[in-house]
Structure formats: C-alpha cells, structure tokens
Amino acid sequence: MYLRAVELRDWRSYRHARFNFPKPENGKNVVLVMAPNEHGKTSFFEAVTLGLFGREGLPLIPRARASVGSGDATERLNVSYSQFLANALHRRAIEAGRQSCSVTLEMEDDDGDVLEISRKWHFKADGTHKLYDDDLQIFEGVGRVPVRAPATTEDKDAWYREFIAQRFIPSSLAEFFLFDGEQVQRYAGRDMADQVRRGIEGLLGLPVLKSLRESLTRYAQHARSSAASPSDQTVKAVEADIANLELALAQNRQKREAAAALLPQLQAESEQLSQQLGGRGEGTIAMVAELHKDEVRYRAEAERAIEGLKDLLAGDIAIALAGNDLRQATVDRLMSEAARERWEAGRNEGNANLDRYQADLSQRLAEVRPELEDSQSSGVIEAATAAWEALWYPPPADCAQDYLHSALMGTARLQAIERLEAIRRRSASELVEKVERFHSAVSTAEAKKRERLEIEQTAPEAEKLSARLKEVSEEVGKLINQRDEADRAITALEGQMAAKRQELGRHMDRIGRGAPALRRAQAADQYAKVLGMLLHDAVPAEVSAVAAEMTRAWKSMAHLTERVERIEITEDCEVRMLNAQGEDLHQIEKSAGASQVFTQALIVAITNVSGRAFPFVVDTPLARLSRDQRLGVLRTFTDRPGQVILLSTDEEVVGEKLEAIRDRVCAAYSLSVEPDNGVAVTTVQPMTV
Amino acid sequence: MAGNSAVVLLNSEEGRALVKRHCREANLSMSHLFELIEAELEQLGKKRKAGLWEEFDRIFDSLEEDD
C-alpha cells in the first residue's frame, strides 16, 4: 500500500495543496519533502495522521501530548480534539467565507485498488471547531464508490474505525509508521526493556487493552466508593459489638437476679438480729462503760447529800432544836439591843455637842439686851439643857434597858439575827429533802449497777449478734449495690444495643442499595485482571521475531556493531546484546545518538514484524544523530519495499546523506512560505534532487 | 467482532486462543470482553472519557441478565 496523493484545503498554512506521489517500484520508494522549520512539514504530518484516524489520531500528534513526557501515544493529551483543531483552519479561510478545512488521502493497495479517505472539519464564524459536524467519506475503486456502514449498523463510528484499521492500519500500530525524530528522541530516553515491551504492545494493539484495564480499575474504584456501602469489616465489627452487648446484658441480668434472690433472706435476718439486740447491737461495751459512769455519778451525789446532811446536823441543829419561841425571843432581844445601841450612839453623838451648845447659848444669852441676869441666863441654860436631854429621854420603847449579849455588838449582832432568822426559815422538809436525795441517788446508782451487771452477763452473745448483724448489713448493702448497678448497666446496655441494631440495619440497607454497584465493580476487577494476564502473556510470543528484525535493523544503522552477533530479547523484554559466543555484552553505548539508533531499529523491527505494507511518514528523522548514525538510519529506513516519505529540514537529508539515498528517491518537493498580509501561506513545488 | 483489527492480537488465531483461554479460566465472557474493548476504542482521542462508565454499567448489568 502506498500514499498516492495528499490534498489539503485550508489546513493550517496550506490554503490549497496537492501532493502526488509515484508508486514505489524498482527500488525507488522514497519521497522527500524538504523545507526549513515552520514551513509546513509538521502540518503535513498532522494532516496525514488526523486525516486517517480523526480524533483517534490525536494521541499520535506530538504537539497534542503533555509537554514533557515519554514520547509515546499513551501519554495524556494536553488539549482536546476541538482545542487542537481550533488552529487547524487556515487563517484567511473564514474571512474568505470558508468555514471548513479538509484532508484527502488517496491510498493504493498492493492489488492496485484505490481507497480515498477524506475528512472535513467545520468551524463556527469565530473559528470554534464544531465537534459533531465532522465529515468522513471513504471511496473505493477507480469509480470512487462510496464506502458506507450498513444501515443496520448501530455504531457507525466503530464500523469506520474497524474499516480503517483493516484496510489501512490500526491506530495502535500507526505510531511506528507515522512518527517524528523528536518523538524518537524522547522514546529513546527510556529503558530498553521498556521500549521493547511498548513496541511489542503497540505491534499487537495492546495499548487499547492497557487503557481498558486502567479504565476498568478506575471504574471499579468509583463504583465501590459510590456504592458507599460499608466494608465487611465494618459490618462484622458492628455484629461483634452487638454480640458483646448481648453478653454484657446477660451477665448483668444474672448479677441482678442473683442479688434479688439473696436479698430477702438476708434482710429478714437483719431484721431479726436487730430485734434480738434491742437496738443495742453495736456499742454494748460502750453502754456498760456509760452505765458505770452513771453509777459513779449517782454515788457521788449520794455522798454529797450525806455530807450536806452532816453539815446540817453539825451546824445549826442545836439552835434548831431550841425551838422557835426561844429563837424568836432571842431575836427580839437582839433587835432591842440593836435599837438601844442605835439610841446610845445618837445620844452620845448629841452629848458630844452639848457643851458646845451650852457655851454657844451662854454666849448668845450674854448678848441679849437687856442684859439678862446670871440667874436668868443660868435658868435659860438649864432649860435648854433639859430640853436637849428630853430629846433622848426617855429612850424609845423598843430599846432594851441593857445589854444581855454585850459580845454581839454591831455587825456581829446583825449576823446573829440573820442566822437565827435563817434557822427559823429552815424547815423539816429540808432535812427530809436531803435524806430523800441521798436515798434517790443511792437507788439510782444501784439500778445502774444492776443494769450494767445484766449487760455484762449477756455481752458475749450480744457481740456475736452484733458482729453478725454487721456482716449481714454489709452483705445486704453490697447486694443492693450490685442489684442497682446491674439495673443501671442493663438500662445503658439496652440503649446501646438499640443504637447498634439500628446501625446494623442502616449498613444492611446500604449494602442492599450498593449491591449492584459492587457487583459491577467486582466484574470490572475480574476483567481488569484477565487483561493484565493477557498483557503479560501476549508479549513473549512476539519477542523472537522482533529480536531477529531488530538485529538486522540495528546492525545496519549502528556503527561498531562487529562485536554484536545478535540481539536477544527475553520474555520479560530484557535486551541482551550477544556476541558470537552467546555472551552478553551488556548495554550498548549510552550516547543519545546510540539510544536513538536503538529506538529506530526497534521501530523498523516492529513495522517489519507487523507485516503491514503501510507507508513510513517520518518528520525530521535525523535529529541528534552522528554522521555515521544518520547514514545508517537513512539507509535502513529507506531500505524497505514500502513507501517512505521523509519530511526533512533543508539541512538534514542533504549532501552525503542525500547521496546515500538518491537512487531510491522517486519524488521530491519543497515547501515555501509566502506572507499574505501577515498570514503565512505554504505552497508546494516539485523539486529535482 | 468489532474492534478486532484495532487490537492486532485478536486478528491472529494464536491471539484469539490466548484470550479464549484466559476468559475461560476466569469464567468470563469473551463477547463481553470485546464489548468492553469496543467501548474503550470509542474513547480514543478524547481528552476525557465521557460516557465510558455509563457504557461499562450497561455491559456489566447485561452480565447479570445473561446469568
């Protein structure tokens, strides 16, 4: 199969261009398209790629992938299809009234049948790509019979994709036929085994299976998380909690029942013991001590009563026995003697002033005028003296005539009177009272003693009962606590149990609701696993063929290859460079150029093993290669029966490199750019080489 | 079977036999595997694989029905 013509309309810098390529034959299979950078070589490359595959070809376009990456078609796209195409429409097209661009590829297969594939992209007036308006037309044969999906086909895109893959090339293999030199550089930077594996995967179309495996894995994760159902561990944990709660409930109920069973008997015993002890219970010894103290106190009181009685008898009893009449007569006498003492005191105090009174009166009488006679003055003084003495005489009626008790004068007399009065006030009841007090105290002391002796006799038994009562009381207390604690625990546990059962119910509901999603996730995981095994097992089947082709390609491209007899690839895609003795010469020279040569040899090997006779379209093939390497690569690339289209800068395939392949060149074109009011327009001219 | 040519492995007898063996061992359906491959191929060239999971849902739900 070869590319017979490429026609571009309003594609990037191409307003309109048609490339016609001759059929490769007679050893002439190389088409050269030469131009400096920015003249449209890469746009041509992209046109061929997207023209063939449409959106599926975007991963094959280096400019559409992440800016730094592995260089292969499995990298993430950094633009969408429409974003990439936003710059595809020629800049003058819209203002010229044209809102579409197209690429037409004419292929001729080995039987001479022509297949034409034409894609047209439509844009809005502002240059935005209209995604769903893309046109794909395929024509077959000289008569250009349209190729259409059968009317019953549900998925027409899939039908056309399949058609293109069968009649042209699968997109997964396309990166080995359509590539640029810089892409090769990036690819070459990777580990050799990795390159070989990816190359073989591409050969077999496995990238789709890898991508599918990743999609299924992500899908399964999403399905599981969206099911939001609890894990088995979560459910088991809740069930375990419920089991533990049930056990705890049973244990607490048992404790409560055990306490409830024992309490009545113990409480009855406690009641009985209390009655037996009569409230004495504890403190019997203290009671005995208390009774003893009381006894002592009452005996002391009895003593005091006796002492008082004795004092009474020893003190005033004689006077009391004298009788009331004598005591009263004595008091009266003492009172009259007290009156006399007062009369005498007054008289004596008056008599002490009589002389002074007489003298003063005498003097006053001497001053009376007419002067009195001595007899008159004397008579006056005698009369005054008599009047004076009449003040005191006769003494008061209650005065005694003399003193019988002259020893009791003044205060002593008064005290004697008070004592006699006090004795008079005392009655027989005082005596009786003291006697009665004595008897009462003694009686009470005796009663305390008897009570004490009685208790002391029963104390050992009471102590036993008291100790037992204490035990029983403590036991009752413990059982009541046990019962109450168990009750509280049961209440709390029942609450927790209800909550856990609700939680389990919610989990089971969610499991039920999430079941479909989980089933899908499980199925996705199973298919992802099968794909993994397929990916692992598919590669080894191709390694021998690839290794053989790589040996041929590499030996023709690289220099200093004499030592290497062959390249061997293990089932794990490890590359071994073996000499004639089968010894592994280890890795090849690590220069950038040598790595690229290895990569390009791999590309050639893959394309040869694929058996596809599809054209090579290579953009800038010789970047970063040494002179010898360039020659080797050029020769190897072009040394194939199929068509090779080289998009070369004006410095690459020139001079000796051109000479090396000149006899294989069947056509050559140059691209030039002419400005059209600031817009670059590429034109194509045939050239002679 | 749609999508075969895009996955070169499935174009050869050896490749199909390998797929058949692995599907049988895993007790999975080959036809559903091809449906999944087709769904993935539909997404080639898209920056985001919109609609893919809905397609997976449909395929896996049909597994249930077939069972």
Side-chain angles (χ1 to χ4, degrees):
Chain A
M1 173 173 280
Y2 76 99
L3 194 55
R4 198 164 85 158
V6 176
E7 187 167 0
L8 310 177
R9 285 188 187 278
D10 286 318
W11 177 264
R12 294 195 182 273
S13 59
Y14 294 89
R15 184 173 296 148
H16 176 252
R18 184 175 173 92
F19 298 77
N20 291 308
F21 302 138
K23 183 177 179 178
E25 57 189 354
N26 301 325
K28 288 183 180 295
N29 63 331
V30 177
V31 175
L32 270 179
V33 178
M34 296 182 71
N37 287 331
E38 308 297 327
H39 273 56
K41 294 193 302 302
T42 302
S43 296
F44 175 89
F45 177 87
E46 291 170 353
V48 172
T49 306
L50 293 186
L52 261 177
F53 301 110
R55 190 190 65 204
E56 288 173 32
L58 199 62
L60 300 169
I61 308 267
R63 283 200 287 203
R65 289 190 226 131
S67 57
V68 176
S70 59
D72 64 30
T74 59
E75 276 181 285
R76 285 174 61 87
L77 296 172
N78 65 358
V79 288
S80 69
Y81 189 48
S82 288
Q83 285 170 333
F84 183 82
L85 286 170
N87 297 322
L89 184 65
H90 184 63
R91 288 189 190 180
R92 288 269 181 258
I94 287 180
E95 64 189 57
R98 300 188 299 272
Q99 290 182 220
S100 65
C101 62
S102 68
V103 171
T104 300
L105 306 173
E106 291 179 21
M107 308 287 279
E108 186 175 313
D109 66 16
D110 295 340
D111 296 327
D113 293 328
V114 176
L115 269 173
E116 179 186 307
I117 179 167
S118 180
R119 284 193 198 260
K120 198 170 187 179
W121 297 274
H122 298 271
F123 298 82
K124 296 180 189 171
D126 64 357
T128 310
H129 171 235
K130 292 157 88 174
L131 177 62
Y132 299 104
D133 288 358
D134 288 2
D135 279 333
L136 169 63
Q137 291 178 306
I138 301 179
F139 301 96
E140 195 168 19
V142 177
R144 294 184 82 244
V145 176
V147 173
R148 293 197 180 94
T152 54
T153 305
E154 282 184 17
D155 189 348
K156 289 187 168 39
D157 286 344
W159 191 92
Y160 283 110
R161 181 173 60 241
E162 177 65 15
F163 180 88
I164 290 167
Q166 281 184 9
R167 298 297 297 273
F168 296 96
I169 191 167
S171 62
S172 63
L173 209 47
E175 68 172 318
F176 298 99
F177 290 87
L178 310 171
F179 60 93
D180 74 352
E182 290 179 4
Q183 173 191 337
V184 170
Q185 278 181 51
R186 290 194 293 274
Y187 204 86
R190 297 164 69 183
D191 173 71
M192 284 200 290
D194 195 32
Q195 290 184 54
V196 168
R197 174 172 292 282
R198 285 176 182 261
I200 295 176
E201 287 174 354
L203 172 65
L204 295 172
L206 302 187
V208 172
L209 301 188
K210 284 179 93 169
S211 177
L212 175 59
R213 185 180 61 172
E214 284 172 19
S215 298
L216 287 170
T217 302
R218 279 198 300 275
Y219 168 81
Q221 285 169 354
H222 177 265
R224 270 192 290 273
S225 63
S226 70
S229 62
S231 64
D232 282 347
Q233 284 99 337
T234 304
V235 171
K236 281 188 180 144
V238 174
E239 287 174 340
D241 287 345
I242 289 174
N244 289 337
L245 285 170
E246 282 172 346
L247 181 63
L249 267 170
Q251 286 168 345
N252 278 283
R253 284 184 182 128
Q254 195 180 9
K255 279 184 194 172
R256 183 177 61 182
E257 282 160 15
L262 291 172
L263 265 174
Q265 184 183 345
L266 284 170
Q267 282 169 329
E269 185 181 348
S270 171
E271 183 68 27
Q272 186 184 5
L273 286 167
S274 294
Q275 284 175 359
Q276 281 179 286
L277 284 165
R280 285 183 295 183
E282 268 185 46
T284 303
I285 292 175
M287 284 180 68
V288 165
E290 193 66 28
L291 286 169
H292 181 70
K293 272 171 66 180
D294 288 344
E295 181 188 338
V296 167
R297 181 161 52 85
Y298 280 107
R299 291 207 187 280
E301 189 174 326
E303 271 300 312
R304 283 193 296 277
I306 282 291
E307 288 301 318
L309 191 61
K310 281 181 185 174
D311 288 339
L312 186 67
L313 289 173
D316 299 332
I317 193 65
I319 299 173
L321 288 175
N324 210 33
D325 290 342
L326 179 57
R327 261 198 321 278
Q328 186 62 49
T330 307
V331 165
D332 292 341
R333 176 68 192 177
L334 287 173
M335 293 286 282
S336 71
E337 288 184 11
R340 180 170 185 85
E341 188 176 349
R342 284 195 298 277
W343 172 76
E344 286 182 351
R347 186 195 62 184
N348 292 341
E349 185 177 355
N351 287 343
N353 293 320
L354 180 62
D355 289 337
R356 204 161 39 88
Y357 174 72
Q358 287 175 336
D360 185 70
L361 181 61
S362 177
Q363 188 179 353
R364 291 180 187 272
L365 287 176
E367 292 172 359
V368 168
R369 298 287 178 262
E371 200 174 306
L372 296 176
E373 295 180 0
D374 291 339
S375 61
Q376 286 176 319
S377 296
S378 301
V380 169
I381 291 170
E382 285 177 11
T385 302
W388 177 272
E389 288 185 358
L391 289 174
W392 308 108
Y393 288 97
D398 60 349
C399 275
Q401 294 295 318
D402 54 14
Y403 293 103
L404 289 179
H405 309 287
S406 60
L408 296 173
M409 299 301 287
T411 308
R413 184 184 297 108
L414 289 174
Q415 286 176 345
I417 292 170
E418 282 175 8
R419 185 171 173 195
L420 287 170
E421 286 292 336
I423 290 170
R424 183 180 61 79
R425 285 195 294 272
R426 281 184 179 161
S427 62
S429 65
E430 190 179 338
L431 187 65
V432 169
E433 186 268 332
K434 282 195 186 318
V435 171
E436 283 179 358
R437 196 150 56 87
F438 167 77
H439 284 303
S440 171
V442 168
S443 172
T444 305
E446 288 296 314
K448 295 291 181 185
K449 181 180 174 181
R450 280 195 301 278
E451 191 178 352
R452 175 175 58 83
L453 289 174
E454 188 182 329
I455 289 174
E456 280 176 346
Q457 279 174 2
T458 62
E461 182 60 27
E463 283 302 310
K464 277 190 201 170
L465 291 176
S466 173
R468 177 62 189 156
L469 180 60
K470 187 176 175 183
E471 278 176 16
V472 170
S473 299
E474 284 175 357
E475 188 63 22
V476 165
K478 280 186 198 167
L479 288 172
I480 288 173
N481 277 343
Q482 179 178 316
R483 182 196 62 195
D484 292 346
E485 277 177 11
D487 270 338
R488 285 192 292 273
I490 287 167
T491 303
L493 288 166
E494 284 173 346
Q496 291 172 30
M497 176 72 84
K500 282 289 173 184
R501 287 198 193 283
Q502 278 183 358
E503 185 184 345
L504 183 63
R506 285 195 298 273
H507 287 330
M508 299 311 288
D509 275 348
R510 283 163 68 192
I511 286 172
R513 284 199 302 274
L518 290 176
R519 282 197 293 273
R520 290 185 203 129
Q522 190 180 16
D525 282 337
Q526 286 171 334
Y527 277 100
K529 193 175 173 185
V530 163
L531 287 165
M533 291 191 288
L534 272 174
L535 289 165
H536 180 267
D537 291 350
V539 167
E542 301 293 331
V543 296
S544 301
V546 171
E549 289 296 327
M550 271 200 76
T551 302
R552 261 195 296 280
W554 183 76
K555 283 170 86 72
S556 73
M557 289 183 185
H559 56 87
L560 302 177
T561 63
E562 297 77 21
R563 294 182 301 141
V564 176
E565 171 71 15
R566 70 181 193 281
I567 292 174
E568 187 178 270
I569 302 174
T570 68
E571 286 194 353
D572 293 328
C573 298
E574 293 296 326
V575 177
R576 302 168 66 200
M577 317 289 278
L578 302 178
N579 63 11
Q581 288 73 42
E583 294 164 334
D584 187 1
L585 300 175
H586 301 294
Q587 295 195 1
I588 56 172
E589 174 195 352
K590 283 291 202 179
S591 69
S595 298
Q596 281 192 62
V597 167
F598 177 87
T599 301
Q600 298 202 12
L602 174 61
I603 290 171
V604 170
I606 296 293
T607 56
N608 289 346
V609 171
S610 75
R612 294 277 184 159
F614 195 79
F616 255 27
V617 180
V618 187
D619 188 2
T620 324
L622 305 177
R624 295 203 189 170
L625 294 175
S626 69
R627 171 190 168 274
D628 287 341
Q629 286 168 342
R630 288 181 180 203
L631 287 173
V633 165
L634 262 181
R635 285 195 194 105
T636 308
F637 269 174
T638 56
D639 184 19
R640 63 196 300 271
Q643 183 185 41
V644 178
I645 300 175
L646 295 178
L647 307 175
S648 164
T649 67
D650 51 356
E651 294 174 352
E652 275 188 293
V653 186
V654 293
E656 63 176 348
K657 293 179 285 292
L658 180 56
E659 282 307 312
I661 62 166
R662 184 189 294 278
D663 57 350
R664 301 191 77 104
V665 175
C666 60
Y669 295 90
S670 67
L671 305 178
S672 55
V673 166
E674 288 158 14
D676 174 11
N677 281 336
V679 174
V681 179
T682 298
T683 56
V684 181
Q685 297 87 28
M687 61 183 268
T688 305
V689 294
Chain B
M1 283 177 282
N4 267 358
S5 295
V7 182
V8 175
L9 176 72
L10 303 178
N11 290 344
S12 68
E13 269 190 47
E14 295 84 0
R16 282 196 296 276
L18 184 67
V19 172
K20 192 172 178 181
R21 177 168 66 81
H22 280 297
C23 284
R24 190 178 59 239
E25 285 172 1
N27 198 27
L28 295 176
S29 156
M30 259 180 83
S31 62
H32 285 111
L33 177 61
F34 292 142
E35 277 191 76
L36 291 168
I37 292 171
E38 189 58 40
E40 185 69 24
L41 282 169
E42 287 281 326
Q43 303 296 325
L44 282 181
K46 285 186 185 174
K47 195 177 177 193
R48 289 174 61 245
K49 297 184 179 180
L52 181 60
W53 286 353
E54 287 77 8
E55 189 61 17
F56 284 166
D57 285 346
R58 185 192 66 74
I59 294 168
F60 291 128
D61 287 344
S62 72
L63 284 176
E64 289 279 315
E65 289 162 15
D66 291 350
D67 288 346

